[in-house]
Amino acid sequence: MAAREMTIADLTRILRECAGEDEGVDLDGDILDIPFAELGYDSLALLEASSRLEREVGVKLSDDAVSEAETPRLLLAAVNEAVLAAV
């Protein structure tokens, strides 16, 4: 599969599919800089989501890269940087 850039819409869909959504959180809002912990996602949920995004966008992130990406903006940046490197 060819690598493709990931969007915030892709990420929120994957998070919902992998780990659901907390009642008090609006993933459709401005969440780019909100820590995943505040959004209700722990490291296990993020690792599961990372395996899904690997299949969807065609790049693999290390477990360290996923755990260091504390916000959606940082995770998107890591994924999209890997996509650019794979081209």
Side-chain angles (χ1 to χ4, degrees):
M1 166 186 281
R4 69 171 182 82
E5 194 168 337
M6 188 167 120
T7 67
I8 188 65
D10 294 326
L11 178 58
T12 56
R13 177 182 48 77
I14 289 168
L15 288 170
R16 284 180 175 122
E17 290 172 0
C18 289
E21 180 176 1
D22 279 356
E23 283 186 33
V25 174
D26 178 14
L27 290 182
D28 294 321
D30 184 12
I31 63 163
L32 283 172
D33 296 312
I34 299 175
F36 283 113
E38 288 182 33
L39 295 172
Y41 299 105
D42 61 12
S43 59
L44 183 60
L46 291 176
L47 289 176
E48 185 176 340
S50 73
S51 68
R52 173 79 63 91
L53 70 88
E54 174 185 344
R55 291 189 303 271
E56 290 196 18
V57 299
V59 296
K60 173 144 178 66
L61 294 179
S62 69
D63 291 349
D64 287 341
V66 174
S67 66
E68 290 171 8
E70 296 178 355
T71 65
R73 182 183 308 275
L74 293 173
L75 183 58
L76 286 171
V79 170
N80 291 329
E81 183 177 307
V83 167
L84 287 175
V87 176

